[in-house]
Amino acid sequence: MSAPATKVAKKDVNSNHDGAEEASEKEQQEAIEQIDEVQNEIDRLNEQASEEILKVEQKYNKLRQPFFQKRSELIAKIPNFWVSTLVNHPQVSALLDEEDEEALHFLTRVEVTEFEDIKSGYRIDFYFDDNPYFENMVISKEFHLNENGDPSSKSSDIKWKSGKDLTKRTTQSKGKGSRKRQHEEPQSFFTWFSDHSDAGADELGEVIKDDIWPNPLQFYLAPDMEGEEGEDEDEDDEEEGDEEGLEDIDEEEGEDEGEDEEEEGDEGEVRSSFIWLITALQTDSSLTTAKIELQRPSEMPCSKLDLKAVCACCLRARNDSNAQHCKW
């Protein structure tokens, strides 16, 4: 009877195990559904936050405009401000060569204008003085994002003067004095205005809007700041040198102090020996130099003392009425 009972027990174990797995799977499925519901709430809040952030950006974009205008008026008082700013920016400078820089010396103002709703795009305007390269006084490039999120761009047509089109130079002329990497296809900075191949990933436009425009002064001052950093490093090196010099002096002083301590130690040995000798002469009038040498304690330090000379001098002084004649 025991064998059938065992089989029944095994069936019960298996059925319990299967039931536990079904319960676990059901709990996991319920947890997944609940996570999905919570995630939907998070997404809803993110959308709400984006709308509110956009309203805040629109508000402060309007508040910043008078300050941008004031800044532009002050920048106009500084010759070559914008060409220096562009040349000092590492990503922009990689697109410039000598002829591009010469043309940009006539650049008087740069303005970035975000569209009123901000999310639909922005425009970059470059203002130029009369120059030998093109007729335009303003060259602009706009970036748009439509309702479907598709990006596009458009720009002014540059009216080049005869023989001055910098976008049509030969490889040979472009290579002279160029800062660009030699393996790149020669291309002028001004080619960017007519390049609409990938408006959604226009790196130069994003650099000007997000990096340069918020604070162009930091790039205009970049070489001076680097120079100050170099000076600070030199000063740090000098201070380190001074500290090392002081350490050397401290080491020398430490060595001198050690020598002085050794000398003081020698003088202490002499004093100890001399005090013992005077005490011995005062207590025993029959002492001779030989007896003193024999009676001197073995631990008595006298490495710097000529004991026999001291003894002879002191003995003569003791037998002399003028004891002050003893040099010890």
Side-chain angles (χ1 to χ4, degrees):
M1 296 296 294
S2 59
T6 303
K7 291 181 180 179
V8 171
K10 287 183 178 180
K11 288 181 179 180
D12 291 341
V13 171
N14 292 333
S15 62
N16 290 338
H17 181 70
D18 293 340
E21 284 185 352
E22 290 177 1
S24 177
E25 290 177 359
K26 184 177 181 180
E27 289 178 357
Q28 290 179 17
Q29 184 61 35
E30 290 177 354
I32 290 173
E33 292 175 358
Q34 291 173 0
I35 291 172
D36 186 55
E37 291 176 0
V38 173
Q39 188 62 49
N40 289 334
E41 290 297 318
I42 294 172
D43 294 340
R44 184 183 63 79
L45 288 173
N46 288 339
E47 290 177 4
Q48 183 180 345
S50 298
E51 293 175 359
E52 294 182 6
I53 290 171
L54 183 59
K55 291 178 181 178
V56 172
E57 289 180 349
Q58 291 170 347
K59 173 186 175 181
Y60 282 94
N61 187 46
K62 291 180 179 179
L63 293 175
R64 284 192 290 263
Q65 296 310 309
F67 295 97
F68 285 147
Q69 180 63 32
K70 180 63 175 178
R71 188 181 69 184
S72 294
E73 293 173 359
L74 294 172
I75 287 175
K77 299 178 180 181
I78 303 175
N80 300 321
F81 178 91
W82 282 109
V83 65
S84 299
T85 298
L86 296 175
V87 168
N88 291 340
H89 192 285
Q91 289 174 263
V92 179
S93 66
L95 303 174
L96 303 175
D97 66 7
E98 291 180 357
E99 288 186 308
D100 288 331
E101 288 182 31
E102 290 176 7
L104 289 173
H105 271 83
F106 297 94
L107 178 63
T108 59
R109 192 162 87 246
V110 174
E111 288 186 358
V112 175
T113 304
E114 292 185 278
F115 300 149
E116 189 172 354
D117 63 354
I118 294 181
K119 62 182 180 180
S120 64
Y122 62 95
R123 184 181 71 252
I124 304 176
D125 297 313
F126 294 79
Y127 293 81
F128 291 87
D129 276 338
D130 185 33
N131 63 83
Y133 294 93
F134 41 78
E135 301 290 346
N136 309 62
M137 302 303 290
V138 182
I139 303 176
S140 304
K141 187 167 186 177
E142 296 182 8
F143 298 87
H144 296 267
L145 198 65
N146 64 21
E147 294 180 355
N148 297 325
D150 299 324
S152 62
S153 63
K154 63 180 182 178
S155 61
S156 308
D157 291 329
I158 302 178
K159 300 176 182 178
W160 295 100
K161 293 182 178 180
S162 178
K164 294 294 185 178
D165 190 344
L166 300 181
T167 65
K168 294 182 179 180
R169 290 170 296 183
T170 62
T171 302
Q172 184 176 0
S173 63
K174 183 67 181 180
K176 295 180 180 178
S178 176
R179 297 182 180 185
K180 301 178 183 179
R181 299 174 183 174
Q182 295 300 317
H183 66 270
E184 292 182 348
E185 181 181 352
Q187 193 174 40
S188 169
F189 167 82
F190 291 91
T191 304
W192 169 71
F193 289 96
S194 58
D195 182 7
H196 307 294
S197 59
D198 193 1
D202 193 303
E203 293 184 5
L204 181 55
E206 292 175 358
V207 164
I208 294 172
K209 181 177 77 75
D210 298 329
D211 203 11
I212 296 177
W213 175 247
N215 185 8
L217 185 62
Q218 65 176 324
F219 297 104
Y220 175 78
L221 298 175
D224 294 335
M225 295 173 67
E226 291 175 0
E228 290 176 1
E229 290 177 358
E231 291 176 1
D232 292 339
E233 290 177 359
D234 293 339
E235 290 177 0
D236 292 340
D237 293 340
E238 290 178 2
E239 289 178 0
E240 290 177 1
D242 293 339
E243 290 176 359
E244 291 177 358
L246 291 173
E247 290 176 358
D248 294 339
I249 293 173
D250 290 340
E251 291 178 0
E252 292 176 359
E253 290 179 351
E255 293 175 359
D256 294 340
E257 289 176 359
E259 293 176 358
D260 292 341
E261 289 175 358
E262 290 180 2
E263 292 176 359
E264 289 176 0
D266 295 339
E267 292 177 0
E269 294 177 4
V270 172
R271 280 196 299 272
S272 298
S273 300
F274 184 67
I275 290 170
W276 174 83
L277 175 60
I278 295 301
T279 303
L281 290 171
Q282 290 175 346
T283 55
D284 189 352
S285 60
S286 64
L287 281 177
T288 63
T289 57
K291 287 183 178 181
I292 290 172
E293 185 66 28
L294 290 172
Q295 293 180 14
R296 180 176 65 84
S298 60
E299 70 276 6
M300 179 64 69
C302 57
S303 59
K304 298 293 182 180
L305 177 66
D306 187 350
L307 188 59
K308 290 185 179 180
V310 174
C311 292
C313 181
C314 291
L315 289 172
R316 286 196 303 273
R318 186 186 63 180
N319 297 326
D320 190 342
S321 58
N322 298 321
Q324 68 271 21
H325 292 166
C326 177
K327 67 179 180 178
W328 301 102

